[in-house]
Amino acid sequence: MNKFVRKVFWIWDLEKEEAWLNKMASNGWILVSVKPFKYEFAPCSPDMKYGIKILCLDKSVTGGNIKNYITFLCESGVEYICLRGDFVYLRKKITNGPFEIFSDNASKIKYLKGFKNKHKSMLISYTVLLLLYALQLILYYYKFAIVFVSIFFLILSVIMLLLLTCLIAKIQKLNREIKRLEKEMIISE
Amino acid sequence: MPNIVLTEAVYYILLSLLKPMHGYGIIQNVSKLSNGRVHLAAGTLYGAINTLLEKGWIVALPCEEYNRRKEYAITDLGVSVLKTEYLRLNELVRNGNMFLGGSINE
């Protein structure tokens, strides 16, 4: 019998989400579908080891053709679980070594850069929203003097500010990882 | 042919495609050729294949009805790149032999 688990992960928590899904897999529950805030798992035998990956489908990785990309992965021994927005959930039976989508630093860097750009575009839209909310806040507080509405926009602004902080932290983390790999590439592939 | 240094993955992909193969075949062949040392991951292979197609070093063969997996084969240009790389690698090994020869057991 399948098990449903409700859980929320933000885009900058992708590694945490992946780690959790892998832990579920090692406990005998393999991911079969993802709905908004809801994960469906099917039981699998303990001797069947699976690895789970969540991949951001940026154009730099797929070459602009998501269908071709997923088909290619599936033909190469990877199992497709589902697509959620720009993210694809994949799994693979572990035979020798962990499940990896990229095996050299050059392709890892290319992927991380695309992933970083995704965060950057979110950063821009969040900043625009923050400015809009802040503007409304000023307008309602100083011009119309409607305190109730001002508080509403104050809360929205604070939320946007928190989201922006998380996004910036994630971008910095990705930058450090890209730099580390680029440094490695000076002496090895 | 310009002096291009190939990555290990590209060298083994080109070497594999001297015989037409599909993606999964390449992954298995590379693992076999390297005695299990090189594990080409599918995403890396996808990127490499697309770049090699763009460069005209390999071509995609027309799909047959009963076999939907796309097969690839090396082109004449690809073969000449591979040969140039083979000569470069030989030079590396020759020089290695000159300095380390006899002192290393596999």
Side-chain angles (χ1 to χ4, degrees):
Chain A
M1 183 127 146
N2 284 4
K3 177 155 105 173
F4 292 87
V5 182
R6 286 184 184 278
K7 220 167 161 77
V8 180
F9 289 101
W10 295 96
I11 176 180
W12 48 83
D13 278 341
L14 212 67
E15 288 89 353
K16 273 189 203 161
E17 185 180 358
E18 207 176 85
W20 175 66
L21 294 172
N22 275 301
K23 198 167 167 246
M24 290 295 287
S26 60
N27 289 339
W29 290 100
I30 184 73
L31 181 72
V32 288
S33 81
V34 185
K35 301 266 151 56
F37 315 120
K38 200 162 96 181
Y39 297 82
E40 186 185 353
F41 299 91
C44 67
S45 71
D47 50 312
M48 198 85 104
K49 290 264 180 280
Y50 272 100
I52 310 271
K53 280 266 168 212
I54 311 167
L55 207 62
C56 174
L57 295 173
D58 186 72
K59 209 179 162 197
S60 62
V61 169
T62 61
N65 194 329
I66 291 176
K67 201 176 157 218
N68 260 3
Y69 185 70
I70 294 175
T71 308
F72 186 89
L73 293 185
C74 291
E75 285 175 0
S76 308
V78 176
E79 290 173 43
Y80 166 82
I81 302 172
C82 63
L83 195 67
R84 300 274 322 145
D86 289 337
F87 295 89
V88 65
Y89 289 72
L90 304 162
R91 67 184 192 204
K92 190 176 183 245
K93 281 191 196 102
I94 295 173
T95 43
N96 42 3
F99 170 30
E100 296 287 355
I101 296 289
F102 304 106
S103 48
D104 63 14
N105 284 340
S107 53
K108 273 180 205 162
I109 291 171
K110 202 172 172 192
Y111 171 72
L112 288 175
K113 282 186 173 166
F115 193 32
K116 191 180 88 177
N117 285 342
K118 171 104 194 142
H119 286 76
K120 274 188 171 169
S121 53
M122 280 179 74
L123 191 74
I124 295 168
S125 40
Y126 281 21
T127 310
V128 171
L129 277 177
L130 173 66
L131 290 176
L132 279 177
Y133 293 152
L135 197 74
Q136 299 280 351
L137 168 66
I138 294 165
L139 216 64
Y140 276 99
Y141 189 75
Y142 290 104
K143 195 149 186 252
F144 308 134
I146 310 173
V147 179
F148 176 71
V149 183
S150 320
I151 290 173
F152 174 71
F153 280 112
L154 178 69
I155 293 169
L156 280 183
S157 303
V158 170
I159 291 172
M160 288 322 288
L161 208 61
L162 284 173
L163 294 179
L164 274 174
T165 316
C166 292
L167 266 180
I168 291 168
K170 177 70 186 196
I171 290 172
Q172 284 173 336
K173 198 177 157 201
L174 285 170
N175 269 335
R176 281 196 296 276
E177 179 65 5
I178 291 168
K179 270 201 186 132
R180 187 186 68 78
L181 290 174
E182 280 176 340
K183 213 169 159 188
E184 246 178 54
M185 274 192 81
I186 296 172
I187 54 159
S188 70
E189 253 180 44
Chain B
M1 177 55 52
N3 208 352
I4 302 168
V5 178
L6 303 182
T7 62
E8 186 175 72
V10 166
Y11 181 74
Y12 269 140
I13 292 168
L14 290 179
L15 211 55
S16 301
L17 291 182
L18 286 168
K19 202 177 111 192
M21 244 174 231
H22 50 71
Y24 193 51
I26 298 173
I27 292 176
Q28 286 178 315
N29 194 50
V30 169
S31 176
K32 202 175 107 197
L33 282 176
S34 65
N35 288 324
R37 185 180 60 81
V38 181
H39 293 288
L40 255 184
T44 298
L45 180 63
Y46 182 85
I49 282 182
N50 276 348
T51 311
L52 294 176
L53 285 170
E54 268 169 37
K55 282 187 174 289
W57 296 2
I58 63 170
V59 282
L61 300 177
C63 278
E64 289 174 44
E65 281 281 316
Y66 57 89
N67 186 6
R68 286 180 55 224
R69 281 187 183 182
K70 206 182 259 180
E71 282 198 324
Y72 306 90
I74 196 165
T75 60
D76 290 343
L77 181 61
V79 172
S80 79
V81 172
L82 193 58
K83 280 182 179 167
T84 313
E85 179 65 354
Y86 170 78
L87 292 175
R88 187 188 71 87
L89 291 172
N90 255 332
E91 178 213 291
L92 294 181
V93 172
R94 258 200 323 274
N95 284 329
N97 267 335
M98 209 148 68
F99 289 91
L100 301 166
S103 65
I104 294 178
N105 296 318
E106 271 192 35

